[in-house]
């Protein structure tokens, strides 16, 4: 009995230590945003001697931060909505309607996970140019939707296949259409999978630096990762402004993970249990 308590105590200690290590960079980022640049350079790991919000004021007035924030939000939200919309429809069709080319169609979508999209950046750039989508946030939306769909289809198809067909048959007996079966019966049962897909793709689109750097040239249409690049000078960098921008940029990710963390954890573990 004492051995079990000792082991459990060690497990709790390891969990608290891991949480501390994970949260400390966030704490350091927040406290650094409340310091002056001189305080950060002199004592980067210390607490602020006096709290100052000057970095946030300079961030808003010196660069169009809220414009970057809005662009990132629009790109991320629209991309996630499209991924969920198309992913649910494709996964429902593949999982619930057996046909001759079912496996081949599923494998075709999974090829998107096997081929790195960045290897095709040159033809992709030319394609966006032909479609007159360069320097537009919709070029980012289309790319992120294409990147996120394969993994979404893999996760959602697996969840749809685990649901008993008796639920679907009962709904059809009651006169429900295919859309009604999917929307009212099956979709509420795969909320953990939807939460997993939503969080993973939102973080991917929000944090991406590569594609906005390639496709966006207009400063007013840049997203946060590329827009924050302007804070890095050739000879000096205002670290307080940088930490203030990072703090504000991390808020949406914290909010969405807080709201959907339960579904995310259930989605990550449900497949192993089933």
């Amino acid at each position: 009995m004492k051995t079990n308590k000792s082991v459990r105590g060690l497990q709790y200690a390891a969990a608290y230590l891991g949480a501390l290590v994970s949260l400390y960079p966030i704490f350091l980022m927040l406290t650094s945003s409340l310091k002056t640049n001189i305080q950060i350079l002199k004592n980067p790991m210390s607490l602020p001697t006096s709290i100052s919000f000057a970095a946030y004021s300079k961030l808003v007035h010196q660069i169009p931060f809220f414009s970057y924030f809005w662009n990132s939000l629009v790109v991320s939200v629209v991309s996630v909505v499209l991924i969920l919309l198309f992913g649910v429809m494709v996964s429902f069709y593949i999982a619930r309607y057996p046909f001759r080319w079912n496996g081949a169609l599923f494998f075709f979508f999974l090829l998107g996970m096997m081929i790195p999209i960045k290897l095709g950046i040159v033809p992709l750039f030319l394609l966006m140019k032909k479609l007159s989508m360069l320097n537009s946030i919709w070029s980012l939306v289309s790319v992120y939707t294409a990147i996120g769909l394969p993994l979404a289809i893999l996760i959602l198809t697996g969840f749809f296949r685990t649901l008993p067909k008796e639920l679907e048959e009962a709904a059809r007996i009651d006169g429900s259409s295919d859309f009604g079966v999917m929307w009212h019966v099956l979709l509420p049962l795969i909320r953990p999978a939807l939460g997993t897909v939503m969080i993973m793709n939102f973080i991917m689109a929000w944090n991406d630096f590569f594609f906005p750097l390639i496709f966006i040239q207009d400063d007013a249409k840049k997203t946060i990762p590329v827009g924050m690049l302007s804070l890095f000078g050739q000879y000096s960098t205002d670290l307080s402004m940088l930490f203030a921008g990072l703090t504000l940029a991390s808020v949406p990710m914290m909010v969405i993970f807080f709201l959907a963390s339960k579904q995310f954890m259930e989605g990550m573990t449900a497949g192993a249990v089933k």
Side-chain angles (χ1 to χ4, degrees):
M1 192 71 177
K2 290 183 178 179
T3 304
N4 292 336
K5 288 184 177 179
S6 300
V7 172
R8 180 164 296 183
L10 290 174
Q11 290 175 340
Y12 279 124
Y16 286 130
L17 180 61
L20 180 63
V21 172
S22 300
L23 294 175
Y24 183 73
I26 300 176
F27 174 75
L28 184 63
M29 176 183 67
L30 178 60
T31 55
S32 298
S33 69
L34 301 175
K35 297 180 183 179
T36 63
N37 210 38
I38 297 176
Q39 288 177 346
I40 295 175
L41 293 173
K42 283 185 175 181
N43 299 301
M45 309 298 289
S46 65
L47 294 173
T49 55
S50 60
I51 296 177
S52 172
F53 293 95
Y56 292 92
S57 178
K58 288 192 297 181
L59 179 72
V60 173
H61 290 95
Q62 292 187 16
I63 65 172
F65 179 81
F66 287 116
S67 176
Y68 302 152
F69 190 95
W70 175 252
N71 293 335
S72 292
L73 189 64
V74 171
V75 168
S76 302
V77 170
V78 174
S79 300
V80 168
V81 169
L82 292 177
I83 290 169
L84 290 176
L85 177 64
F86 295 132
V88 164
M89 291 191 294
V90 172
S91 301
F92 176 74
Y93 183 72
I94 292 176
R96 313 304 284 192
Y97 292 92
F99 55 95
R100 183 177 180 182
W101 300 104
N102 189 297
L105 181 62
F106 186 56
F107 181 75
F108 171 77
F109 283 107
L110 295 189
L111 283 176
M113 298 173 57
M114 305 175 192
I115 303 173
I117 192 171
K118 291 179 182 178
L119 294 179
I121 188 59
V122 174
L124 191 59
F125 182 86
L126 297 176
L127 176 63
M128 293 298 173
K129 185 177 180 180
K130 278 192 174 183
L131 295 175
S132 300
M133 292 179 66
L134 281 181
N135 203 30
S136 169
I137 61 174
W138 300 112
S139 62
L140 303 178
V141 170
S142 60
V143 170
Y144 294 150
T145 303
I147 294 174
L149 267 178
L151 181 60
I153 291 172
L154 175 65
I155 295 173
L156 295 176
T157 300
F159 268 77
F160 273 125
R161 284 174 174 170
T162 61
L163 300 179
K165 290 194 174 182
E166 288 77 9
L167 295 173
E168 183 179 343
E169 292 170 356
R172 293 187 187 280
I173 291 175
D174 290 339
S176 181
S177 62
D178 291 344
F179 179 79
V181 170
M182 181 187 71
W183 183 261
H184 297 291
V185 179
L186 301 183
L187 208 58
L189 300 176
I190 63 167
R191 281 183 298 178
L194 296 176
T196 302
V197 172
M198 179 179 66
I199 290 178
M200 295 176 67
N201 285 286
F202 185 89
I203 293 176
M204 178 270 297
W206 185 268
N207 289 334
D208 184 57
F209 176 82
F210 181 76
F211 289 108
L213 182 66
I214 299 298
F215 294 147
I216 306 296
Q217 291 82 39
D218 189 355
D219 192 58
K221 297 178 182 178
K222 290 180 179 179
T223 56
I224 287 180
V226 179
M228 294 287 288
L229 193 64
S230 62
L231 297 178
F232 291 90
Q234 183 177 359
Y235 301 105
S236 64
T237 301
D238 193 330
L239 296 176
S240 60
M241 283 180 60
L242 180 62
F243 282 116
L246 293 175
T247 301
L248 293 177
S250 63
V251 170
M253 289 187 294
M254 294 181 183
V255 170
I256 193 172
F257 193 83
F258 177 77
L259 294 176
S261 58
K262 181 180 179 181
Q263 284 76 17
F264 178 76
M265 295 305 299
E266 291 178 356
M268 294 297 289
T269 58
V273 175
K274 291 177 181 178

